[in-house]
Amino acid sequence: MRVIHELSERWFITHGRAMQNILFEKEKIGELELKNRFLMSAGTGTWNADQDNIPHDGDGYIHFEIASGGVAMVISGGLNVSPSGVSTSHSGMFADDRSAPFMSIFAKRIKDGGALACLQISHGGMWAWKYAKKRNIAPFAPSFIVDAELGDYSVSRRIDLPATEGQICELIEAYGNAALRAKKCGFDAVEVHAAHEALLSQMLSPVSNIRKDKWGGSVENRARFHIEVLRNIRSKVGKSFPVIMKLGVKDMLEGGLSFEDGVAAAKIIVEKGGVDAIEVSQGLSPGLLDFAYSSMRTGITRLENEGYYRHWAKLVKGAISHTGAKVIMQGGLRSFELMQEVIEKKEADFVSMCRPYICESAIIKRWMGSDRKKSACISCNKCIIRAYTEGKKLECVLKSGNGG
Ligand SMILES: Cc1cc2nc3c(=O)[nH]c(=O)nc-3n(C[C@H](O)[C@H](O)[C@H](O)COP(=O)(O)O)c2cc1C
């Protein structure tokens, strides 16, 4: 009798308590049901791509481990929809069916782990021009490319090179084709990367988009490319396939996208583009590895530093709630209680983390039990530095003992 009592008590702690919490309640994105409110935001270092930027190699992906750790949906790192968007030799491309065999395995292994699989599709825009030039591929930029390091938009170092109408239409098609390919590969959803340094951020920002035609000028015009990309995707994947957009709603640059325009853009994009969810993030920053102004902030040691896009996500949620589109909050979320409060107060519909899963793949399973201690991730960013600059496997240096 005592044994039964003890067992049922343990069951209550590990299951009953979890069931009671709003973070473990089901919710939908479009018509797709997620088993809880936790997502993994896009995060990869290298796609183990070959000389043609085709992703390979089924082993060593931390995403597979994370998928079995209790999270509802894993979003892959960004894959380029066109050769003109690839910026390094190890970046992955999803521009044709050569990428399909490995990406089908990637989706299946995430799903076998118990999570839904979402593919992020992206394009490097002006930052990909040097690599494009090396391979004799025409670069793609809203208005100009800069002959300098990331973030230096100065007039003296820029080469005017506005994409032609034909190039724009072709690229819109490429996003649609990539999304359809993702669906055929078995992914449950796609996410269009429109944040950080990605092409769609460059399109939305008045710093990098100085076009005078229908693709530039007013916020409606700067968001036109987003809407056309989403409409093209929808026409190909159908009504019930979830489409998410990770949207940068404010640039961290002088003269860049204002938050006011960012929210206006979010509203137009949802209303006219028919996207199912917006994952709120920032737009352009002054330099990729200047983490203080990037989406990967460091020094998240106190509760006050957590959730650095919380206020933005809450306001975006207010602006689009009439549409039924969902809002995903991310950016430095580390504590269970904070995320619970966010969902309880309806500031967002989902919460998402990236670095904490790299640090502890089964953090959600731990939280489903009685241990609700915050993530042990110290946001040192060594995971991304090693992966991007040294092409090493994505892992937490605290776990591997490789210099944490
Ligand atoms: C290793 C690594 C790779 C990332 N790659 C991408 C990416 O491909 N696309 C993207 O939108 N964000 C990318 N991010 C940013 C994350 O999705 C997320 O926005 C950011 O890390 C903040 O969340 P966090 O504090 O929970 O880590 C990456 C982050 C890391 C650490």
Short mmCIF file of all heavy atoms in Angstrom, two decimals, residues 258-295:
data_model
loop_
_atom_site.label_atom_id
_atom_site.label_comp_id
_atom_site.label_asym_id
_atom_site.label_seq_id
_atom_site.Cartn_x
_atom_site.Cartn_y
_atom_site.Cartn_z
N SER A 258 12.64 51.38 -37.21
CA SER A 258 12.15 51.77 -35.89
C SER A 258 11.16 50.71 -35.40
O SER A 258 10.57 49.98 -36.22
CB SER A 258 11.43 53.13 -35.96
OG SER A 258 10.26 52.99 -36.76
N PHE A 259 10.97 50.65 -34.10
CA PHE A 259 10.03 49.66 -33.58
C PHE A 259 8.61 49.95 -34.08
O PHE A 259 7.85 49.02 -34.39
CB PHE A 259 10.08 49.62 -32.05
CG PHE A 259 9.15 48.59 -31.47
CD1 PHE A 259 9.35 47.24 -31.71
CD2 PHE A 259 8.05 48.96 -30.72
CE1 PHE A 259 8.48 46.27 -31.22
CE2 PHE A 259 7.17 48.00 -30.21
CZ PHE A 259 7.39 46.66 -30.46
N GLU A 260 8.30 51.21 -34.19
CA GLU A 260 6.97 51.61 -34.69
C GLU A 260 6.72 51.01 -36.10
O GLU A 260 5.67 50.40 -36.35
CB GLU A 260 6.93 53.13 -34.76
CG GLU A 260 5.56 53.72 -34.77
CD GLU A 260 5.64 55.23 -34.90
OE1 GLU A 260 6.68 55.77 -35.36
OE2 GLU A 260 4.64 55.87 -34.55
N ASP A 261 7.70 51.15 -36.97
CA ASP A 261 7.58 50.58 -38.32
C ASP A 261 7.60 49.06 -38.27
O ASP A 261 6.94 48.39 -39.08
CB ASP A 261 8.74 51.06 -39.22
CG ASP A 261 8.44 52.41 -39.86
OD1 ASP A 261 7.40 53.00 -39.53
OD2 ASP A 261 9.26 52.86 -40.68
N GLY A 262 8.37 48.51 -37.33
CA GLY A 262 8.46 47.05 -37.19
C GLY A 262 7.11 46.44 -36.83
O GLY A 262 6.69 45.41 -37.39
N VAL A 263 6.40 47.10 -35.92
CA VAL A 263 5.08 46.58 -35.52
C VAL A 263 4.09 46.76 -36.67
O VAL A 263 3.28 45.86 -36.96
CB VAL A 263 4.55 47.30 -34.25
CG1 VAL A 263 3.15 46.83 -33.90
CG2 VAL A 263 5.47 47.04 -33.08
N ALA A 264 4.19 47.92 -37.35
CA ALA A 264 3.30 48.14 -38.50
C ALA A 264 3.55 47.05 -39.55
O ALA A 264 2.61 46.50 -40.13
CB ALA A 264 3.56 49.53 -39.09
N ALA A 265 4.83 46.73 -39.76
CA ALA A 265 5.18 45.69 -40.74
C ALA A 265 4.60 44.34 -40.31
O ALA A 265 4.03 43.61 -41.13
CB ALA A 265 6.69 45.60 -40.89
N ALA A 266 4.73 44.02 -39.02
CA ALA A 266 4.21 42.74 -38.52
C ALA A 266 2.71 42.63 -38.83
O ALA A 266 2.22 41.59 -39.28
CB ALA A 266 4.47 42.61 -37.02
N LYS A 267 2.01 43.72 -38.60
CA LYS A 267 0.56 43.73 -38.81
C LYS A 267 0.23 43.53 -40.30
O LYS A 267 -0.60 42.68 -40.65
CB LYS A 267 0.02 45.08 -38.31
CG LYS A 267 -1.44 45.13 -38.08
CD LYS A 267 -1.80 46.32 -37.18
CE LYS A 267 -3.28 46.50 -37.09
NZ LYS A 267 -3.88 47.19 -38.24
N ILE A 268 0.91 44.25 -41.14
CA ILE A 268 0.65 44.13 -42.60
C ILE A 268 1.00 42.72 -43.08
O ILE A 268 0.28 42.12 -43.87
CB ILE A 268 1.51 45.14 -43.41
CG1 ILE A 268 1.28 46.56 -42.95
CG2 ILE A 268 1.22 45.02 -44.90
CD1 ILE A 268 2.32 47.55 -43.50
N ILE A 269 2.13 42.23 -42.58
CA ILE A 269 2.61 40.91 -43.03
C ILE A 269 1.61 39.82 -42.64
O ILE A 269 1.30 38.93 -43.43
CB ILE A 269 4.02 40.64 -42.45
CG1 ILE A 269 5.06 41.50 -43.18
CG2 ILE A 269 4.39 39.17 -42.53
CD1 ILE A 269 6.41 41.58 -42.50
N VAL A 270 1.08 39.92 -41.42
CA VAL A 270 0.11 38.90 -40.98
C VAL A 270 -1.19 39.05 -41.77
O VAL A 270 -1.74 38.07 -42.27
CB VAL A 270 -0.14 38.99 -39.46
CG1 VAL A 270 -1.24 38.03 -39.05
CG2 VAL A 270 1.13 38.68 -38.68
N GLU A 271 -1.65 40.29 -41.88
CA GLU A 271 -2.95 40.50 -42.56
C GLU A 271 -2.90 40.15 -44.04
O GLU A 271 -3.81 39.52 -44.57
CB GLU A 271 -3.38 41.97 -42.39
CG GLU A 271 -3.87 42.27 -40.98
CD GLU A 271 -4.12 43.74 -40.72
OE1 GLU A 271 -3.81 44.58 -41.59
OE2 GLU A 271 -4.62 44.06 -39.64
N LYS A 272 -1.82 40.55 -44.71
CA LYS A 272 -1.77 40.35 -46.17
C LYS A 272 -1.02 39.08 -46.57
O LYS A 272 -1.23 38.56 -47.66
CB LYS A 272 -1.12 41.55 -46.84
CG LYS A 272 -1.92 42.82 -46.66
CD LYS A 272 -1.42 43.89 -47.61
CE LYS A 272 -2.30 45.12 -47.53
NZ LYS A 272 -1.70 46.26 -48.19
N GLY A 273 -0.10 38.63 -45.73
CA GLY A 273 0.71 37.47 -46.10
C GLY A 273 0.16 36.16 -45.56
O GLY A 273 0.56 35.09 -45.99
N GLY A 274 -0.76 36.27 -44.60
CA GLY A 274 -1.41 35.07 -44.07
C GLY A 274 -0.47 34.13 -43.34
O GLY A 274 -0.64 32.91 -43.38
N VAL A 275 0.51 34.69 -42.61
CA VAL A 275 1.44 33.84 -41.88
C VAL A 275 0.76 33.32 -40.60
O VAL A 275 -0.10 33.99 -40.03
CB VAL A 275 2.74 34.65 -41.59
CG1 VAL A 275 2.52 35.73 -40.56
CG2 VAL A 275 3.90 33.77 -41.22
N ASP A 276 1.13 32.13 -40.15
CA ASP A 276 0.46 31.52 -38.99
C ASP A 276 1.04 31.94 -37.65
O ASP A 276 0.36 31.86 -36.63
CB ASP A 276 0.54 29.98 -39.09
CG ASP A 276 -0.22 29.47 -40.30
OD1 ASP A 276 -1.43 29.74 -40.38
OD2 ASP A 276 0.39 28.83 -41.17
N ALA A 277 2.31 32.33 -37.65
CA ALA A 277 2.93 32.77 -36.39
C ALA A 277 4.11 33.68 -36.69
O ALA A 277 4.78 33.54 -37.71
CB ALA A 277 3.40 31.57 -35.58
N ILE A 278 4.35 34.59 -35.76
CA ILE A 278 5.52 35.48 -35.85
C ILE A 278 6.42 35.18 -34.66
O ILE A 278 5.97 35.20 -33.51
CB ILE A 278 5.09 36.98 -35.78
CG1 ILE A 278 4.21 37.37 -36.96
CG2 ILE A 278 6.32 37.87 -35.66
CD1 ILE A 278 4.92 37.84 -38.20
N GLU A 279 7.68 34.86 -34.94
CA GLU A 279 8.67 34.73 -33.87
C GLU A 279 9.39 36.07 -33.81
O GLU A 279 10.03 36.50 -34.78
CB GLU A 279 9.65 33.58 -34.18
CG GLU A 279 10.68 33.40 -33.07
CD GLU A 279 11.68 32.26 -33.33
OE1 GLU A 279 11.69 31.68 -34.43
OE2 GLU A 279 12.47 31.97 -32.42
N VAL A 280 9.26 36.73 -32.70
CA VAL A 280 9.75 38.11 -32.60
C VAL A 280 11.25 38.16 -32.30
O VAL A 280 11.73 37.52 -31.36
CB VAL A 280 8.96 38.89 -31.52
CG1 VAL A 280 9.51 40.31 -31.36
CG2 VAL A 280 7.47 38.92 -31.87
N SER A 281 11.96 38.92 -33.12
CA SER A 281 13.39 39.11 -32.89
C SER A 281 13.78 40.51 -33.32
O SER A 281 12.92 41.36 -33.55
CB SER A 281 14.19 38.05 -33.66
OG SER A 281 15.50 37.94 -33.13
N GLN A 282 15.09 40.74 -33.44
CA GLN A 282 15.56 42.05 -33.86
C GLN A 282 15.99 42.01 -35.33
O GLN A 282 16.12 40.92 -35.90
CB GLN A 282 16.73 42.49 -33.01
CG GLN A 282 17.98 41.62 -33.20
CD GLN A 282 19.19 42.21 -32.52
OE1 GLN A 282 19.28 42.22 -31.31
NE2 GLN A 282 20.13 42.73 -33.31
N GLY A 283 16.20 43.19 -35.89
CA GLY A 283 16.68 43.26 -37.26
C GLY A 283 18.19 43.43 -37.29
O GLY A 283 18.91 42.78 -36.51
N LEU A 284 18.65 44.32 -38.15
CA LEU A 284 20.10 44.47 -38.38
C LEU A 284 20.84 44.96 -37.15
O LEU A 284 20.29 45.71 -36.34
CB LEU A 284 20.32 45.47 -39.53
CG LEU A 284 19.66 45.14 -40.88
CD1 LEU A 284 19.90 46.28 -41.87
CD2 LEU A 284 20.17 43.83 -41.45
N SER A 285 22.09 44.54 -37.06
CA SER A 285 22.93 44.99 -35.94
C SER A 285 24.24 45.53 -36.51
O SER A 285 24.57 45.28 -37.67
CB SER A 285 23.19 43.84 -34.97
OG SER A 285 23.80 42.78 -35.66
N PRO A 286 25.02 46.24 -35.69
CA PRO A 286 26.23 46.86 -36.22
C PRO A 286 27.34 45.86 -36.59
O PRO A 286 28.24 46.19 -37.33
CB PRO A 286 26.71 47.76 -35.09
CG PRO A 286 25.66 47.74 -34.05
CD PRO A 286 24.79 46.58 -34.29
N GLY A 287 27.28 44.65 -36.09
CA GLY A 287 28.33 43.69 -36.42
C GLY A 287 27.96 42.33 -35.90
O GLY A 287 27.47 42.22 -34.78
N LEU A 288 28.18 41.31 -36.72
CA LEU A 288 27.70 39.97 -36.35
C LEU A 288 28.28 39.46 -35.04
O LEU A 288 27.60 38.87 -34.23
CB LEU A 288 28.03 38.97 -37.46
CG LEU A 288 26.89 38.19 -38.07
CD1 LEU A 288 27.40 36.98 -38.80
CD2 LEU A 288 25.82 37.77 -37.06
N LEU A 289 29.57 39.68 -34.85
CA LEU A 289 30.18 39.12 -33.64
C LEU A 289 30.24 40.14 -32.50
O LEU A 289 30.88 39.91 -31.47
CB LEU A 289 31.56 38.53 -33.96
CG LEU A 289 31.50 37.28 -34.86
CD1 LEU A 289 32.89 36.74 -35.17
CD2 LEU A 289 30.64 36.17 -34.28
N ASP A 290 29.55 41.26 -32.70
CA ASP A 290 29.42 42.22 -31.60
C ASP A 290 28.13 41.83 -30.87
O ASP A 290 27.06 42.36 -31.12
CB ASP A 290 29.32 43.64 -32.17
CG ASP A 290 29.34 44.67 -31.07
OD1 ASP A 290 29.29 44.27 -29.89
OD2 ASP A 290 29.39 45.87 -31.38
N PHE A 291 28.26 40.88 -29.96
CA PHE A 291 27.07 40.24 -29.40
C PHE A 291 26.16 41.18 -28.60
O PHE A 291 24.98 40.91 -28.44
CB PHE A 291 27.47 39.03 -28.55
CG PHE A 291 28.04 37.91 -29.38
CD1 PHE A 291 29.32 37.43 -29.15
CD2 PHE A 291 27.29 37.34 -30.40
CE1 PHE A 291 29.84 36.39 -29.91
CE2 PHE A 291 27.80 36.30 -31.16
CZ PHE A 291 29.08 35.82 -30.93
N ALA A 292 26.71 42.28 -28.10
CA ALA A 292 25.91 43.19 -27.29
C ALA A 292 24.70 43.70 -28.06
O ALA A 292 23.67 44.03 -27.48
CB ALA A 292 26.77 44.35 -26.82
N TYR A 293 24.84 43.81 -29.39
CA TYR A 293 23.75 44.34 -30.21
C TYR A 293 23.12 43.25 -31.08
O TYR A 293 22.43 43.54 -32.05
CB TYR A 293 24.25 45.49 -31.10
CG TYR A 293 24.79 46.63 -30.29
CD1 TYR A 293 26.17 46.78 -30.10
CD2 TYR A 293 23.93 47.54 -29.69
CE1 TYR A 293 26.67 47.81 -29.33
CE2 TYR A 293 24.43 48.58 -28.92
CZ TYR A 293 25.80 48.71 -28.74
OH TYR A 293 26.29 49.74 -27.98
N SER A 294 23.40 42.02 -30.79
CA SER A 294 22.90 40.93 -31.63
C SER A 294 21.77 40.19 -30.91
O SER A 294 21.44 40.50 -29.76
CB SER A 294 24.03 39.95 -31.94
OG SER A 294 24.18 39.04 -30.88
N SER A 295 21.23 39.21 -31.60
CA SER A 295 20.15 38.41 -30.99
C SER A 295 20.72 37.46 -29.93
O SER A 295 19.97 36.89 -29.15
CB SER A 295 19.43 37.60 -32.06
OG SER A 295 20.32 36.66 -32.62
#
